[in-house]
Amino acid sequence: MKTIGLLGGMSWESTASYYRALNEGVRAALGGLHSAKLCLYSVDFAEIERLQHAGDWDATAEILSQAARSVEAGGADFLLIGTNTMHKVAPQVAKAVSIPLLHIADATAQRLATDGISRVGLLGTRFTMEQEFYKGRITEGFGIEVLVPDEAQRDQVHEVIFHELCLGQVKEASRQRYLEIIESLHEQGAEAVILGCTEIALLVQQSHTAVPLYDTAAIHAEEAVKWALQR
């Protein structure tokens, strides 16, 4: 079994979901008392969040690059960045290490393509919804059109992530607002919706809507298990 390197803490709420998913995936594949071989570096998210909103992405890249070098030194065979937004600096992080990076957008887009989805809605932080590092990668690499909510809806999605979900707060009113936004994207032609922030699945699950949802954290973890168990 290969050792998974995971950069977490962004936020730790979703990193806990990753840890569970990786271990459950290995146990499901191998049975018995098997669990994932994993090297985790968990950052202080307050520092990352401050730099994100200040637009100092170079500083975030340096923090994550150092973290990536640490998990490589700890024996990791490949690397996950356990957050969608910080894939903005994935190229810099990948260059900092000699082990491969499993990109969350690639794993998600491959699943969409396999399922025949050609137009998809995207929820995430304002950075993920508005900038090209994520949705552009999906469109250019996989030919999938990406729709995002309108500006007011993007603000609402972003605020819930940072002021509720990253703090472990799950509120019914926020869930209903997210479901309204998901339905709006569906009405605009989205065949499915990407939960493009690793915390969103804490709030919205498939049981809440008939619109197909793609949980990026779960998909990322499932693909990581495959990588870890490849012969």
Side-chain angles (χ1 to χ4, degrees), residues 3 11 23 32 49 58 72 80 84 86 88 94 125 127 130-131 138 141 157 169 171 182 192 206:
T3 299
S11 69
N23 282 292
E49 183 272 339
D58 288 341
E72 182 176 24
L80 307 185
N84 288 274
M86 291 313 299
K88 179 176 175 66
T125 66
F127 314 113
E130 295 179 354
Q131 299 179 25
I138 292 174
V157 171
Q169 299 174 12
K171 299 182 179 180
I182 288 168
Q206 190 61 71

Side-chain angles (χ1 to χ4, degrees), residues 9 32 34 44 47-48 59-60 65 91 108 110-111 116 119 138 143 157 162 171 173 181 183 206-207:
H34 284 288
D44 177 4
E47 184 179 8
I48 296 288
T60 66
S65 293
T108 302
Q110 185 59 62
R111 184 73 60 86
R119 178 181 291 174
I138 292 174
V157 171
F162 279 97
K171 299 182 179 180
I181 294 170
E183 186 58 37
Q206 190 61 71
S207 60

Side-chain angles (χ1 to χ4, degrees), residues 106-141:
D106 293 348
T108 302
Q110 185 59 62
R111 184 73 60 86
L112 290 165
T114 298
D115 291 347
I117 303 296
S118 60
R119 178 181 291 174
V120 70
L122 173 64
L123 301 182
T125 66
R126 190 181 295 116
F127 314 113
T128 300
M129 292 185 288
E130 295 179 354
Q131 299 179 25
E132 286 300 310
F133 69 90
Y134 192 92
K135 59 186 181 182
R137 188 179 182 100
I138 292 174
T139 299
E140 293 167 16

Side-chain angles (χ1 to χ4, degrees), residues 39-218:
C39 185
L40 168 65
Y41 189 113
S42 190
V43 302
D44 177 4
F45 188 45
E47 184 179 8
I48 296 288
E49 183 272 339
R50 183 171 62 251
L51 293 168
Q52 286 177 339
H53 286 91
D56 193 349
W57 296 100
D58 288 341
T60 66
E62 182 51 39
I63 292 170
L64 292 194
S65 293
Q66 181 56 51
R69 287 189 285 266
S70 294
V71 298
E72 182 176 24
D77 294 299
F78 64 95
L79 180 66
L80 307 185
I81 303 174
T83 157
N84 288 274
T85 297
M86 291 313 299
H87 278 75
K88 179 176 175 66
V89 299
Q92 297 97 304
V93 175
K95 288 179 182 177
V97 293
S98 61
I99 56 176
L101 170 73
L102 173 53
H103 199 292
I104 196 170
D106 293 348
T108 302
Q110 185 59 62
R111 184 73 60 86
L112 290 165
T114 298
D115 291 347
I117 303 296
S118 60
R119 178 181 291 174
V120 70
L122 173 64
L123 301 182
T125 66
R126 190 181 295 116
F127 314 113
T128 300
M129 292 185 288
E130 295 179 354
Q131 299 179 25
E132 286 300 310
F133 69 90
Y134 192 92
K135 59 186 181 182
R137 188 179 182 100
I138 292 174
T139 299
E140 293 167 16
F142 297 85
I144 298 170
E145 182 182 356
V146 180
L147 307 178
V148 297
D150 64 33
E151 185 173 1
Q153 292 172 331
R154 294 197 301 271
D155 285 343
Q156 292 170 337
V157 171
H158 183 91
E159 291 302 308
V160 168
I161 290 168
F162 279 97
H163 298 296
E164 296 176 23
L165 299 180
C166 287
L167 297 172
Q169 299 174 12
V170 177
K171 299 182 179 180
E172 182 60 32
S174 296
R175 176 181 292 124
Q176 292 305 315
R177 186 64 188 124
Y178 267 54
L179 291 173
E180 291 170 5
I181 294 170
I182 288 168
E183 186 58 37
S184 175
L185 289 167
H186 182 57
E187 290 172 356
Q188 294 172 54
E191 302 163 85
V193 171
I194 298 170
L195 304 184
C197 175
T198 52
E199 283 81 18
I200 295 178
L202 301 173
L203 181 69
V204 178
Q205 291 89 46
Q206 190 61 71
S207 60
H208 296 131
T209 177
V211 179
L213 303 178
Y214 285 74
D215 176 359
T216 53

